[in-house]
């Protein structure tokens, strides 16, 4: 598994505002979208392209375009939905599939409650969106799900990750082609499974249901 932790002052600045508990939902949503677009630049570094011949007003030349089958973007509901617009701004031709997952706050085990994805993901590059990588239960299950459908490779974009979640992902994915792009790697998990210092419950902060 490849791990990339962002190291850019603009990303750290936006994350700091996101972490601040006084930041209201509309600002939180706007910043989430902006952060995803910045992280997507790194996350799409290995997106598959093919050669294409074009003519500029001056000459014929060779360029590239995104290959078929098109990449699949998969936000994990509910909080991952807040990252979708920022991602498709950068990859407008991508297809979008949905996975709904809810972590049981007692056991910290994820349960899948919704799924709308193509049956066959052979040769597909998949981009999973979930703002929080805490224990790694939800992201690990999502990645398993995509590989079971035949995905070629999976890149996950998370705004914040905990070391426990990264270690869990490493164990689960083994030598499969997985890239994890984080806005920041925080200190640890709390005894309730929250990322510390973190930003609280991402879904509640996005959608205002605290
Ligand atoms: C949050 C978050 C992740 C998950 C991370 O979702 O958006 O999906 O928890 O925790 P984990 O790494 O320990 O699995 P939650 O289950 O709270 O659902 P929500 O998006 O509907 O708020
Ligand atoms: N889910 C969240 O929304 N926040 C955390 O800190 C951990 C899991």
């Amino acid at each position: 598994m490849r791990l990339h932790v962002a190291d850019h002052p603009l990303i750290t600045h936006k994350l700091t505002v996101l972490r601040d508990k006084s930041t209201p939902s509309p600002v939180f949503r706007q910043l989430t979208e902006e952060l995803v677009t910045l992280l997507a630049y790194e996350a799409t570094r290995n997106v598959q392209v093919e050669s294409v011949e074009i003519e500029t007003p001056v000459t014929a030349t060779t360029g590239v375009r995104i290959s078929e089958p098109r990449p699949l973007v998969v936000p994990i509901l509910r909080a991952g939905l807040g990252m979708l617009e920022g991602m498709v701004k950068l990859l407008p031709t991508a297809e979008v599939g949905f996975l709904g997952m809810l972590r049981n706050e007692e056991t910290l085990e994820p349960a899948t409650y919704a799924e709308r994805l193509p049956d066959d993901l052979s040769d597909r590059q998949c981009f999973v969106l979930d703002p929080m990588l805490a224990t790694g239960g939800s992201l690990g299950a999502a990645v398993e799900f995509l590989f079971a459908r035949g995905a070629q490779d999976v890149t996950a974009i998370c705004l914040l990750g905990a070391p426990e979640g990264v270690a869990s992902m490493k164990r689960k994915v083994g030598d499969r082609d997985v890239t994890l792009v984080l806005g920041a790697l925080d200190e640890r998990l709390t005894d309730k499974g929250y990322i510390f210092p973190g930003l609280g419950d991402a879904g509640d902060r996005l959608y205002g249901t605290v």
Side-chain angles (χ1 to χ4, degrees):
M1 186 183 84
R2 285 176 294 276
L3 172 66
H4 177 86
V5 183
D7 178 21
H8 193 289
L10 255 187
I11 292 178
T12 314
H13 164 78
K14 289 178 193 289
L15 276 176
T16 303
V17 183
L18 210 64
R19 290 177 190 279
D20 188 333
K21 68 179 184 185
S22 68
T23 298
S25 288
V27 179
F28 194 97
R29 282 198 291 273
Q30 177 64 35
L31 283 169
T32 298
E33 197 179 313
E34 290 171 13
L35 276 160
V36 174
T37 305
L38 293 171
L39 295 173
Y41 185 71
E42 178 61 34
T44 52
R45 185 172 287 283
N46 293 322
V47 72
Q48 281 177 0
V49 292
E50 59 195 21
S51 292
V52 58
E53 304 298 324
I54 58 151
E55 289 196 17
T56 76
V58 180
T59 183
T61 187
T62 306
V64 299
R65 69 173 165 221
I66 292 179
S67 303
E68 296 281 339
R70 288 180 283 163
L72 183 74
V73 175
V74 183
I76 301 183
L77 310 180
R78 150 190 76 147
L81 209 48
M83 301 170 75
L84 182 59
E85 273 310 304
M87 186 68 187
V88 295
K89 261 194 187 133
L90 210 69
L91 265 186
T93 59
E95 289 180 4
V96 181
F98 298 90
L99 264 182
M101 300 191 134
L102 185 59
R103 184 174 85 148
N104 178 313
E105 294 300 333
E106 300 296 317
T107 64
L108 303 183
E109 289 296 319
T112 304
Y113 62 84
E115 175 263 304
R116 192 82 165 89
L117 291 168
D119 288 338
D120 183 9
L121 295 177
S122 307
D123 303 325
R124 282 297 185 101
Q125 288 193 296
C126 297
F127 293 89
V128 179
L129 309 177
D130 193 338
M132 309 302 273
L133 172 64
T135 64
S138 307
L139 188 59
V143 168
E144 287 295 339
F145 199 99
L146 298 173
F147 279 120
R149 293 258 167 115
Q152 172 180 299
D153 60 67
V154 178
T155 298
I157 305 178
C158 303
L159 301 183
L160 296 183
E164 293 89 333
V166 173
S168 156
M169 288 299 293
K170 276 188 187 151
R171 279 195 306 275
K172 281 182 191 153
V173 305
D175 55 9
R176 283 173 298 183
D177 193 347
V178 173
T179 304
L180 185 55
V181 176
L182 301 181
L185 182 59
D186 276 11
E187 277 177 53
R188 60 180 170 84
L189 289 182
T190 66
D191 55 2
K192 291 197 163 28
Y194 272 75
I195 298 176
F196 182 91
L199 52 74
D201 185 305
D204 287 354
R205 296 208 53 198
L206 276 164
Y207 301 115
T209 47
V210 185

